[in-house]
Amino acid sequence: AQTVTQSQPEMSVQEAETVTLSCTYDTSESDYYLFWYKQPPSRQMILVIRQEAYKQQNATENRFSVNFQKAAKSFSLKISDSQLGDAAMYFCAKHQGGKLIFGQGTELSVKP
Amino acid sequence: GAVVSQHPSWVICKSGTSVKIECRSLDFQATTMFWYRQFPKQSLMLMATSNEGSKATYEQGVEKDKFLINHASLTLSTLTVTSAHPEDSSFYICSARGISGLYQETQYFGPGTRLLVL
């Protein structure tokens, strides 16, 4: 089975600093979609960023950017200028066979 | 854009009763909707995939007679937990995938439903 792995169960960052969350995946496809979702304490899943594998340019959404390394099958999320509201569970996901395959999640805490 | 609603947000019921949860895409048409279950501090577990006008496809280990899914239109899917028991208590989340453009290949999630079976 194809998998998505987040090796950091918990991460912590100081407010205004930068943090990077790691994600690796397994695939035999050449074209696919990757996502980062945020789940705050309300448990509402929020789309943070989306990357299409055929695009070489890394996706960026305001303070959120990804480092997509296709050959290494790596898809990390960088959060710049961290804010208290960024504290949440972050899930990496890969679109596979019409479904999303999720990683185990990384719980991010932000220290004031 | 890409708003998905879910109702109810909270439900408490007695063991043996049935509970229906609605999932609606408010500002886009969704050919496919998904139902997930999530336990605290864990990832989302896909229960089933539903396509408008056809039978749902259930993941291995999910009882289709226990969790009835109906996708009657391009904006509405329902999950009915039949004869609920305490072990069915969980957080249920739906998502919707759009037809084209920005919404294609991207799932947008509802706010979830907390089910407690007494």
Side-chain angles (χ1 to χ4, degrees):
Chain A
Q2 310 223 343
T3 58
V4 176
T5 302
Q6 294 178 248
S7 58
Q8 307 152 315
E10 298 176 350
M11 290 284 284
S12 180
V13 64
Q14 202 72 32
E15 195 176 6
E17 298 293 309
T18 296
V19 65
T20 298
L21 308 184
S22 300
C23 174
T24 58
Y25 57 92
D26 178 28
T27 187
S28 56
E29 300 171 314
S30 60
D31 193 19
Y32 46 89
Y33 294 85
L34 296 164
F35 306 87
W36 278 97
Y37 285 92
K38 169 185 176 181
Q39 189 179 40
S42 67
R43 301 185 80 175
Q44 164 78 63
M45 292 283 285
I46 302 166
L47 176 67
V48 175
I49 203 163
R50 163 183 138 144
Q51 175 80 44
E52 295 170 74
Y54 72 88
K55 290 185 177 179
Q56 294 186 347
Q57 187 174 8
N58 290 323
T60 299
E61 287 289 340
N62 301 313
R63 297 182 295 107
F64 298 87
S65 61
V66 299
N67 183 5
F68 174 48
Q69 301 290 328
K70 191 173 184 179
K73 297 178 183 176
S74 171
F75 181 59
S76 60
L77 175 69
K78 186 172 83 171
I79 306 174
S80 304
D81 185 25
S82 297
Q83 301 176 358
L84 295 178
D86 295 333
M89 183 74 85
Y90 286 82
F91 292 100
C92 175
K94 179 183 176 293
H95 185 262
Q96 174 74 40
K99 307 174 188 178
L100 283 180
I101 308 299
F102 284 94
Q104 306 92 321
T106 296
E107 187 168 11
L108 177 67
S109 59
V110 181
K111 297 179 181 177
Chain B
V3 179
V4 177
S5 70
Q6 203 171 325
H7 179 79
S9 56
W10 259 108
V11 58
I12 301 174
C13 69
K14 293 182 179 180
S15 185
T17 61
S18 294
V19 175
K20 180 185 282 189
I21 303 169
E22 289 188 350
C23 178
R24 294 180 184 271
S25 56
L26 299 184
D27 53 1
F28 67 102
Q29 291 185 321
T31 49
T32 306
M33 289 184 169
F34 303 85
W35 289 94
Y36 296 85
R37 186 171 179 176
Q38 186 183 33
F39 293 103
K41 299 290 187 181
Q42 293 188 22
S43 190
L44 280 68
M45 182 184 76
L46 179 65
M47 299 173 64
T49 302
S50 73
N51 291 293
E52 186 261 340
S54 61
K55 288 184 179 180
T57 302
Y58 291 82
E59 295 299 301
Q60 192 171 9
V62 177
E63 299 175 60
K64 58 182 67 176
D65 294 331
K66 159 70 82 175
F67 300 101
L68 299 179
I69 292 171
N70 182 271
H71 193 156
S73 74
L74 284 173
T75 59
L76 173 64
S77 177
T78 60
L79 167 68
T80 301
V81 183
T82 62
S83 186
H85 291 285
E87 58 266 28
D88 299 323
S89 298
S90 190
F91 188 64
Y92 293 88
I93 311 175
C94 74
S95 71
R97 188 174 72 207
I99 294 175
S100 63
L102 182 63
Y103 306 128
Q104 195 175 21
E105 309 303 344
T106 300
Q107 289 186 29
Y108 296 91
F109 287 81
T113 297
R114 291 170 174 79
L115 171 63
L116 177 62
V117 184
L118 302 176

